[in-house]
Amino acid sequence: FLAHGYGAQWPKLIQFDPLLTPNAARTGVARFDARYPGIASYAARMTAFAKEHGYVETILGRKRWLPEIAAGDRKIREAAERQAINTPVQGTAADVIKLTLVLVDGRLDPTQAQLILTVHDELDLRVRPAYVETAKQIIVTVAQEVGVMIGIDLPVEISVGATWADA
């Protein structure tokens, strides 16, 4: 999404790769837009919504207020426009992992399993060996329930190991 993030500002792409020609940058952006046509319309919708309402929100309804969307300073306004595009996606991902964490933690037997930490979209748990299958089922069930709440199937990958690196 780096190329799309710079969109019409393709000259900024060249700053990251001095071997990239202006023509190649324009072509790359055009190919990206052709391959993913929904992204440009999504970006336009989110930016327009933010300009009209002053905020954007996640699928679960958490709002991010963006008063800078009306700023006179182009750099400040464009930063708010990028936030308007990014927040519904990244904010929803954050909402999903937080909700999943709370629900999983509430269903685990605390004498058998404990949540240790989260990293982006991962939950790291310490689980007694005899409880691993039960914990896995709880996690899958919760992910399915959260998916229903937001209207999508949430894929779940579970790995088990003695250390994070082993899992």
Side-chain angles (χ1 to χ4, degrees):
F1 294 113
L2 174 65
H4 192 273
Y6 286 99
Q9 300 174 18
W10 58 264
K12 289 186 178 181
L13 288 172
I14 296 169
Q15 294 174 359
F16 292 104
D17 185 352
L19 300 177
L20 185 64
T21 66
N23 201 32
R26 273 194 228 71
T27 300
V29 169
R31 282 184 184 157
F32 182 90
D33 287 343
R35 184 168 183 175
Y36 305 103
I39 292 177
S41 64
Y42 163 80
R45 284 191 322 273
M46 292 300 101
T47 302
F49 183 93
K51 286 178 180 177
E52 180 179 346
H53 300 283
Y55 69 89
V56 291
E57 59 188 356
T58 67
I59 289 175
L60 294 175
R62 186 166 51 91
K63 292 180 181 178
R64 179 173 189 176
W65 292 93
L66 297 166
E68 300 87 1
I69 199 82
D73 183 310
R74 181 181 57 84
K75 286 185 178 186
I76 292 172
R77 186 179 59 254
E78 287 176 353
E81 289 171 356
R82 288 189 299 274
Q83 291 170 347
I85 295 164
N86 188 50
T87 294
V89 176
Q90 292 295 328
T92 294
D95 289 352
V96 165
I97 196 67
K98 289 174 192 172
L99 181 57
T100 302
L101 179 141
V102 168
L103 294 174
V104 165
D105 191 50
R107 294 186 192 175
L108 291 171
D109 177 345
T111 67
Q112 300 297 313
Q114 300 84 37
L115 282 161
I116 303 300
L117 61 96
T118 64
V119 177
H120 301 294
D121 61 348
E122 295 182 15
L123 300 178
D124 188 14
L125 295 91
R126 180 176 298 135
V127 181
R128 294 189 185 274
Y131 193 70
V132 167
E133 292 307 314
T134 301
K136 287 166 77 173
Q137 186 56 50
I138 290 169
I139 294 164
V140 169
T141 299
V142 167
Q144 290 169 342
E145 292 170 3
V146 171
V148 168
M149 289 179 197
I150 63 171
I152 62 169
D153 282 333
L154 286 178
V156 179
E157 294 177 16
I158 298 176
S159 56
V160 178
T163 68
W164 195 10
D166 294 339

